[in-house]
Amino acid sequence: MARWIGTLNEGSLLRRTLLHIGTFALGSLAFVGVVSLVLVTVAKAVLPPHDAAGPAAEETEEAESEAAAGTSKAALGKTSRSKRLRAPSQAERDSAPSAPNAPSAD
């Protein structure tokens, strides 16, 4: 083993540099592969199955159908925007007629 390690330091600077870069790349790929495998295994153990029947599955199906409808609108050049209710500004509140059931100050 010591003789094999010693042969890695022999040769030209270019050869040694390429050897170090290749070793680093293979080590990085191995590390990313092992970490990915561990994360996927832990996630599968913790999370429920994707095809579980229940209220969450129904909500997911509804969300998917709404997303599909939004995608078809986007394909036609239309964007879907959610319409939120906003509080009226001070000027709108001042100019709005008072409610009919409001007590009068007579």
Side-chain angles (χ1 to χ4, degrees), residues 50-71:
H50 181 66
D51 57 351
E58 292 173 4
E59 291 175 9
T60 305
E61 290 174 4
E62 291 175 8
E64 288 174 355
S65 65
E66 290 176 7
T71 305

Side-chain angles (χ1 to χ4, degrees), residues 2-60:
R3 188 182 308 163
W4 183 74
I5 292 174
T7 60
L8 293 178
N9 287 328
E10 295 176 0
S12 68
L13 180 60
L14 177 62
R15 181 178 176 205
R16 287 183 289 164
T17 303
L18 291 175
L19 182 67
H20 285 96
I21 291 172
T23 305
F24 178 76
L26 288 176
S28 298
L29 288 173
F31 178 75
V32 169
V34 169
V35 170
S36 297
L37 181 67
V38 168
L39 288 176
V40 168
T41 304
V42 169
K44 284 184 178 180
V46 172
L47 297 175
H50 181 66
D51 57 351
E58 292 173 4
E59 291 175 9
T60 305

Side-chain angles (χ1 to χ4, degrees), residues 87-97:
S89 67
Q90 185 65 32
E92 290 174 342
R93 278 186 254 144
D94 291 342
S95 65

